[in-house]
Amino acid sequence: MSDTDLRRAAQFLSNARHVVVVSGAGISAESKIPTFRDAMTGLWASFDPQKLATPEAFDADPSTVTRWYDFRRMKCAEALPNPGHTALARLETLLNPHNGSVTILTQNVDGLHQRAGSRNVVELHGSIMTWRCTRTGREFHDLPAPFPDYPPKSPDGGLLRPAVVWFGEMLPPAALDAADKALRECDLFFSIGTSALVHPVAGFAGIASARNIPVIEINRDPTPLTPRADICLRGPSGELLPALLHAAFP
Ligand code: OAD
């Protein structure tokens, strides 16, 4: 990444009023939450997340699936927002007084954007802190950590499952509506810490580009979005986002 790229990105950001950010697991990596496609470590090294995050896996082995999600829920609860999350929350405080906005369309389920202070966060893949009864669909927050046994029993008589989107499940319609509105109104689009592989979210940058909205990727590694982005800042978002805000709003 060159200084020129950072300066160009800062120029776009200083002129923007309605920013959309798509974030993925990479923005939480510096908060010590494993990304989705990095190898699972320790206890879960032998499990393939792509196989555990499915309704079929839950039906076949609810104990293993809920134990894995509870392990991740605990890691998320222990984690702290990093300077990347904090920079996005600060951007919102800089734009709001000028009738600007920052809409974070996150694929993450860890709640760290909200804990960093961002107020306009759309959880496209749900939240690992919320669990849902398989019998009534009622959602529960503030649950015991860790669960006393697996699978956790629901007060409504069913089992409790994480209120996250599993492979093959639909994204929450309200979240998709909010994303659609933000994408139609934005004048700058960021893709941060995501491999840009999973649709429909991987298609959001194309919606912005089709409106001739500048697309900026901030990611540790190249992705399928890289060749189509207007600017690519390669590296850790926990360092690049603070540097970008400092350059845009000295
Ligand atoms: P991935 O694990 O697929 O991608 C994480 C991306 O973050 C990679 O491209 C890394 O290069 C990048 N990265 C890692 N550390 C970084 C850092 N410190 N700074 C910047 N970038 C960094 O995770 P996601 O793209 O979020 O969906 O995965 C998308 C979806 O795939 C997940 O939400 C999940 C999974 O299927 C569901 O569970 C429905």
Side-chain angles (χ1 to χ4, degrees):
M1 178 208 72
S2 67
D3 278 350
T4 311
D5 288 334
L6 188 72
R7 277 198 301 276
R8 283 180 60 225
Q11 187 65 38
F12 277 127
L13 185 56
S14 61
N15 292 325
R17 278 295 162 271
H18 297 289
V19 176
V20 160
V21 173
V22 165
S23 70
I27 201 168
S28 296
E30 290 157 89
S31 298
K32 300 193 178 19
I33 296 180
T35 64
F36 215 88
R37 287 170 177 79
D38 285 346
M40 278 286 156
T41 53
L43 174 64
W44 297 99
S46 59
F47 287 81
D48 175 359
Q50 321 272 352
K51 292 197 173 59
L52 287 169
T54 68
E56 294 76 19
F58 177 77
D59 292 342
D61 185 354
S63 174
T64 298
V65 171
T66 54
R67 190 184 296 275
W68 179 59
Y69 272 93
D70 204 26
F71 162 75
R72 290 177 60 209
R73 176 173 69 115
M74 307 281 283
K75 282 191 79 68
C76 292
E78 289 157 15
L80 294 174
N82 67 58
H85 297 107
T86 308
L88 291 179
R90 177 166 172 261
L91 178 60
E92 192 176 19
T93 63
L94 290 168
L95 292 189
N96 280 173
H98 307 284
N99 295 319
S101 66
V102 177
T103 305
I104 298 180
L105 307 176
T106 190
Q107 301 172 97
N108 298 340
V109 297
D110 56 34
L112 289 182
H113 283 300
Q114 297 93 318
R115 286 172 53 196
S118 289
R119 292 193 305 281
N120 192 9
V121 180
V122 179
E123 291 182 315
L124 295 162
H125 290 168
S127 167
I128 205 164
M129 300 304 175
T130 303
W131 288 55
R132 187 167 64 229
C133 176
T134 55
R135 195 176 75 81
T136 62
R138 186 153 67 114
E139 295 197 341
F140 298 87
H141 316 275
D142 306 323
L143 293 159
F147 286 121
D149 49 33
Y150 301 97
K153 308 294 179 292
S154 160
D156 290 0
L159 299 179
L160 286 178
R161 59 154 283 180
V164 302
V165 175
W166 278 335
F167 286 105
E169 293 185 324
M170 294 295 292
L171 274 63
L176 284 174
D177 289 347
D180 178 56
K181 180 175 185 298
L183 288 166
R184 275 187 282 107
E185 294 171 357
C186 72
D187 54 15
L188 185 57
F189 181 98
F190 284 92
S191 178
I192 302 176
T194 179
S195 56
L197 290 171
V198 176
H199 288 268
V201 182
F204 286 2
I207 295 172
S209 293
R211 291 184 50 233
N212 295 316
I213 301 299
V215 170
I216 299 175
E217 180 181 60
I218 298 178
N219 208 61
R220 186 192 64 195
D221 304 310
T223 74
L225 173 60
T226 302
R228 292 180 283 118
D230 297 279
I231 300 174
C232 292
L233 304 182
R234 185 76 53 240
S237 48
E239 293 171 22
L240 290 173
L241 278 168
L244 177 59
L245 258 74
H246 179 71
F249 307 101

